[in-house]
Amino acid sequence: MNQAVDFVAVSTSLLEALPTVKSSAGESKMVLLSAKYSSEPADNDVTVDEEFRETLNADLGRQICTAIDSCLLQHLVNALFGDTLHTGISGRDELSNGEVEAIGAVCAFLHVTFSTLPLELVMTGLAYRTELVPVLWNFIKRCHENQRWPIFSKQTVHLPGDTPGWLLPLAVFCPVYKHMLMIVDNEEFYEQEKPLSLSDTRCLIIILKQALWQLLWTIPTHASSQKISSSLSSSHKKLSVESIQNRSRDVISKLLSQLQDWNNRRPFAPGIDFHSQEAMSETFVSQAILGNTRASEILKQAPFLVPFTSRVRIFTSMLAASKERYGPHRALPRNQFKIRRSRILEDAFNQLSMLSEEDLRGPIRVTFVNEFGVEEAGIDGGGIFKDFMENITQTAFDVQYGLFKETADHLLYPNPGSGLIHEQHLQFFHFLGSLLGKAMYEGILVDIPFATFFLSKFKRKHNYLHDLPSLDQELYRHLLFLKHYEGDVSELELYFVIVTNEYGEQREEELLPGGKEKRVTNDNVIQFIHLISNHRLNYQIRHQSSHFLRGFEQLIQKEWIEMFDEHEIQLLISGSLESMDIDDLCSNAHYSGGYHPDHHVIQMFWEVLKSFSLEYQKKFLKFVTGCSRGPLLGFKHLEPQFCIQRAAPLNASEEDLDRLPTSATCMNLLKLPPYKTKEQMQTKLMYAISADAGFDLS
């Protein structure tokens, strides 16, 4: 093992002296192919760096890449680990000197390798042909449990003695483990608990959270001038404190974000595990709202460290600042529209789709026209526009209209065949994106349940195999069968093509150029699986998604929405799914028509509402507001505020008192007759709620 350590030390020095190879010719081709068959743009660095062209012979570069591709890294890593670091016997408490030397040598060498050579050439081999992930995790876990990290200065001459011992191992472990997670399927991760057990994954989250907080907050504050000087003097080195910190910040943040996605898909850890205690303070929130502070930078780089409610407060402040920055608006004549209820989407599209960004920020006033061509009574002070938003979203996102489809779980995503139904389908998607942005900008909740793989497009994220079950469970099962097939895959007679069928129009599309002639084999089956997943989850809806997003970002800035994950974006759109806080609704209710908080009918009403099941409480909220979910920050943020109005004259007849309650969702108004008993009120409310929801209680 000593010979292996010495050999790696020499190799590290040689690699560090080489200019960075941005990509090889082979990788350039793969990046370009990926870009062509993906919804994501290609990276800019798809050609060999100019400095590399000038200083390094191209033939030598090919030899280095060939050596890496022919398992050199795997042999080096396995040789360094050897019997001493076999995962079955490395659970002892004390770290041997040999173990520390081997870990330090491997991590130093691989960090320089990652900084020198194209990552695609090395990641798969390290992830699947070495013990790197289990051995490094075992090492990291033991150090964390013992609260004792070794110093690697012997292997890394550029690192000062007070450099955190976790810095270098995490800089190497995180990108390799993240690469594994891109290929792991749901059954492997949750059921088989690979590559790590779920309990170990939760422990890893805690370690990564603490390390990232130190990198983003603590270390910059308390770094000594000596360390800063040392870092700056060696900043041109690939194995300097600065380079390792930069890599660690990036890879730890990306891995934690990926683990949060897995946790959202099927929780295995409390959400608070991702939050930093320090980010929960009022001071942190105030600094984040100010902007141009370290707190605001953390929101950009690692928003999951900050609790969701804090980020909602920050987001709300950003919206308020935007409205104030653009000044008070009045409804200009060009922003006043007549809309036929029977043609709400077409009329709105024809009249509103040409509004400028400035007009969208201002008030939009709507007058509804009934089926007889008569304008409905009422002046739009905001309530009618809310009613308009509820009705147009119900129409536009209805699968019958053809712009959206729904998954088996009734979650919406863009219809890949929308162009076969609507000639102007992309303009419609842009318009609907701007409408959703307007709703969020004005704090109007709309009950539109989007599929997670579509919500990821709001963050410009790519979807992978583990996202496929939410769209096509049957296709996912077929791909898993292929992934774990133990026979000769080529005998299945599969080729790199996919057959699509939209409204009876069947097409065969190549997943790669020449895909009709390229047979799927054991060597390329993983590539085939991911190209199929990419086609269904990304490629087919790329145009619809991009146009929708352009409309949405007219009002909601990209950096605002990137503070939230997909699950949280859905909450911003539709409100909270958590249990309803009736006391909070009561505290923020208004009354009219003779009702007041101490009125016996009102007190009876709140008792009845509290006695309802959660399901009926949510149906009641939808009955009076148009949305079954409450505002994220409580009912004081409901616009307009909830109001209960007496629905009968003072000298009401028995007939008046026997009527069902009604509502005006545009005003969040409940019109409640003064019932005499709780039993009568409960019965009438349940009938009204059920009739509104389309249920029959008879």
Side-chain angles (χ1 to χ4, degrees):
M1 170 151 53
N2 289 336
Q3 290 180 340
V5 170
D6 292 339
F7 177 74
V8 169
V10 173
S11 301
T12 302
S13 299
L14 290 174
L15 270 179
E16 194 174 15
L18 288 175
T20 298
V21 182
K22 292 290 178 112
S23 66
S24 66
E27 189 190 11
S28 298
K29 182 179 179 182
M30 287 307 298
V31 171
L32 289 171
L33 285 176
S34 268
K36 182 176 180 181
Y37 292 91
S38 164
S39 63
E40 305 291 324
D43 292 332
N44 293 328
D45 55 349
V46 295
T47 57
V48 180
D49 185 85
E50 290 298 325
E51 181 185 4
F52 176 70
R53 294 189 187 195
E54 295 172 3
T55 60
L56 186 64
N57 182 277
D59 185 55
L60 177 58
R62 283 193 296 272
Q63 291 179 36
I64 292 173
C65 292
T66 301
I68 294 298
D69 204 27
S70 62
C71 301
L72 172 62
L73 276 182
Q74 295 94 284
H75 291 313
L76 283 175
V77 171
N78 289 330
L80 278 166
F81 289 156
D83 294 333
T84 304
L85 297 182
H86 192 279
T87 55
I89 63 171
S90 61
R92 58 185 181 275
D93 291 334
E94 293 298 323
L95 298 169
S96 68
N97 292 333
E99 187 173 0
V100 172
E101 286 188 15
I103 291 289
V106 167
C107 291
F109 175 68
L110 291 180
H111 171 74
V112 173
T113 301
F114 297 164
S115 304
T116 305
L117 298 176
L119 291 179
E120 289 301 318
L121 292 172
V122 300
M123 281 297 169
T124 300
L126 290 174
Y128 296 101
R129 301 190 187 103
T130 74
E131 292 291 301
L132 180 70
V133 165
V135 169
L136 261 187
W137 166 242
N138 186 274
F139 172 81
I140 291 167
K141 182 181 178 182
R142 287 160 59 202
C143 291
H144 173 72
E145 290 174 347
N146 296 331
Q147 295 296 301
R148 182 171 174 269
W149 293 87
I151 297 173
F152 296 111
S153 55
K154 179 178 178 181
Q155 290 79 21
T156 54
V157 296
H158 304 301
L159 300 186
D162 58 347
T163 301
W166 46 261
L167 185 62
L168 189 56
L170 289 183
V172 173
F173 172 84
C174 289
V176 182
Y177 181 62
K178 179 180 180 297
H179 184 81
M180 294 183 78
L181 289 183
M182 290 170 57
I183 304 175
V184 166
D185 58 64
N186 291 334
E187 283 72 13
E188 288 172 320
F189 187 88
Y190 297 111
E191 310 300 339
Q192 302 173 27
E193 300 196 16
K194 295 179 179 179
L196 300 181
S197 70
L198 294 180
S199 61
D200 276 0
T201 305
R202 182 175 176 183
C203 179
L204 173 63
I205 290 169
I206 301 300
I207 294 171
L208 296 180
K209 175 183 68 174
Q210 294 172 350
L212 186 58
W213 181 261
Q214 288 192 55
L215 286 168
L216 294 175
W217 187 270
T218 309
I219 289 178
T221 303
H222 297 99
S224 65
S225 58
Q226 180 180 359
K227 178 184 289 190
I228 294 172
S229 174
S230 173
S231 175
L232 291 175
S233 65
S234 61
S235 60
H236 65 286
K237 294 288 187 180
K238 298 169 186 173
L239 205 53
S240 65
V241 173
E242 186 180 47
S243 68
I244 301 175
Q245 284 183 353
N246 288 340
R247 176 179 296 280
S248 297
R249 274 191 291 267
D250 182 57
V251 297
I252 293 175
S253 179
K254 288 179 178 177
L255 177 55
L256 270 173
S257 178
Q258 197 171 14
L259 289 172
Q260 188 183 48
D261 288 343
W262 283 96
N263 196 52
N264 286 338
R265 202 172 294 121
R266 192 187 301 177
F268 58 87
I272 197 172
D273 279 2
F274 292 89
H275 303 156
S276 175
Q277 187 69 33
E278 296 88 338
M280 301 180 186
S281 69
E282 287 296 323
T283 301
F284 181 90
V285 173
S286 300
Q287 290 187 19
I289 292 173
L290 285 175
N292 295 319
T293 61
R294 279 187 297 116
S296 59
E297 284 302 310
I298 286 177
L299 275 179
K300 294 177 183 177
Q301 297 182 46
F304 44 79
L305 292 176
V306 185
F308 175 59
T309 52
S310 297
R311 282 177 280 130
V312 173
R313 288 174 54 196
I314 295 166
F315 174 69
T316 304
S317 296
M318 290 175 173
L319 288 178
S322 173
K323 294 174 184 177
E324 185 177 341
R325 184 165 57 251
Y326 289 101
H329 293 273
R330 58 187 180 87
L332 301 174
R334 66 174 182 270
N335 285 10
Q336 300 179 16
F337 306 98
K338 294 182 180 180
I339 305 292
R340 293 172 292 176
R341 285 192 181 272
S342 60
R343 304 283 293 176
I344 186 170
L345 181 56
E346 291 80 359
D347 285 358
F349 175 74
N350 291 332
Q351 297 180 61
L352 275 69
S353 61
M354 301 307 292
L355 288 178
S356 67
E357 204 170 293
E358 181 183 358
D359 288 335
L360 280 173
R361 287 195 181 91
I364 295 175
R365 296 293 178 247
V366 169
T367 300
F368 279 116
V369 178
N370 64 24
E371 65 270 25
F372 304 108
V374 178
E375 293 184 13
E376 296 181 6
I379 298 175
D380 189 0
I384 297 178
F385 180 70
K386 179 174 176 287
D387 185 30
F388 161 76
M389 291 295 290
E390 292 165 1
N391 281 277
I392 193 172
T393 51
Q394 287 178 9
T395 302
F397 292 97
D398 190 318
V399 294
Q400 299 298 321
Y401 197 76
L403 290 174
F404 280 82
K405 298 182 77 172
E406 65 178 13
T407 67
D409 296 326
H410 306 293
L411 302 177
L412 297 169
Y413 66 97
N415 179 7
S418 58
L420 299 174
I421 300 177
H422 301 283
E423 184 178 351
Q424 292 181 291
H425 68 124
L426 295 181
Q427 291 91 330
F428 268 110
F429 277 106
H430 185 281
F431 173 61
L432 292 183
S434 66
L435 274 184
L436 184 64
K438 177 65 172 176
M440 193 176 292
Y441 193 76
E442 299 296 343
I444 299 173
L445 300 177
V446 286
D447 202 355
I448 310 173
F450 287 123
T452 303
F453 65 86
F454 174 56
L455 289 169
S456 71
K457 298 306 173 187
F458 287 63
K459 295 170 63 66
R460 291 180 171 81
K461 282 174 60 177
H462 206 72
N463 296 300
Y464 295 96
L465 173 65
H466 48 249
D467 298 299
L468 188 58
S470 62
L471 172 62
D472 193 330
Q473 184 69 44
E474 184 178 1
L475 177 60
Y476 178 71
R477 285 197 299 267
H478 288 324
L479 294 182
L480 286 192
F481 169 79
L482 279 180
K483 181 180 177 182
H484 300 293
Y485 188 67
E486 296 181 356
D488 185 354
V489 174
S490 63
E491 294 178 353
L492 301 177
E493 292 287 336
L494 297 173
Y495 293 85
F496 277 72
V497 295
I498 186 171
V499 177
T500 59
N501 192 333
E502 298 292 344
Y503 301 102
E505 183 176 310
Q506 187 167 300
R507 292 196 309 165
E508 188 178 69
E509 298 182 55
E510 292 186 326
L511 297 170
L512 286 174
K516 292 181 180 178
E517 285 75 42
K518 184 173 182 178
R519 181 177 291 193
V520 180
T521 66
N522 287 30
D523 291 333
N524 61 27
V525 66
I526 295 297
Q527 181 189 23
F528 173 76
I529 288 170
H530 285 280
L531 285 173
I532 290 283
S533 303
N534 173 66
H535 191 278
R536 293 286 279 120
L537 292 165
N538 301 303
Y539 183 73
Q540 281 191 318
I541 61 172
R542 68 198 184 284
H543 295 312
Q544 293 91 333
S545 299
S546 63
H547 279 76
F548 188 93
L549 196 59
R550 286 176 203 164
F552 180 75
E553 289 182 351
Q554 285 182 282
L555 290 181
I556 305 298
Q557 295 181 20
K558 175 176 175 287
E559 54 267 28
W560 296 350
I561 212 67
E562 286 184 341
M563 292 193 297
F564 305 96
D565 63 36
E566 291 85 341
H567 170 72
E568 293 166 344
I569 294 172
Q570 182 65 63
L571 293 180
L572 292 177
I573 293 169
S574 301
S576 175
L577 282 169
E578 302 301 321
S579 59
M580 261 191 53
D581 189 341
I582 300 300
D583 289 331
D584 182 45
L585 180 62
C586 177
S587 299
N588 292 281
H590 288 227
Y591 306 94
S592 66
Y595 284 155
H596 53 80
D598 297 324
H599 195 286
H600 72 279
V601 172
I602 295 301
Q603 292 182 340
M604 190 165 57
F605 164 79
W606 291 115
E607 290 177 16
V608 168
L609 188 58
K610 287 181 180 180
S611 72
F612 282 173
S613 66
L614 175 60
E615 178 187 6
Y616 261 92
Q617 287 176 352
K618 290 186 174 181
K619 287 177 181 177
F620 167 78
L621 188 62
K622 185 171 179 64
F623 174 63
V624 294
T625 70
C627 185
S628 61
R629 307 172 191 179
L632 297 176
L633 297 179
F635 284 103
K636 68 179 179 181
H637 294 277
L638 184 67
E639 290 290 343
Q641 288 193 297
F642 175 56
C643 182
I644 304 177
Q645 182 182 77
R646 181 184 171 99
L650 293 176
N651 56 347
S653 64
E654 288 296 325
E655 184 179 350
D656 291 327
L657 298 179
D658 199 46
R659 292 176 178 174
L660 291 178
T662 58
S663 65
T665 57
C666 62
M667 301 170 63
N668 297 330
L669 177 67
L670 173 66
K671 300 175 183 177
L672 182 70
Y675 300 118
K676 294 182 178 180
T677 67
K678 282 200 294 186
E679 291 73 20
Q680 183 188 24
M681 180 176 289
Q682 181 174 356
T683 301
K684 296 297 185 182
L685 271 173
M686 292 186 71
Y687 265 104
I689 293 169
S690 299
D692 179 70
F695 296 109
D696 186 3
L697 289 181
S698 60

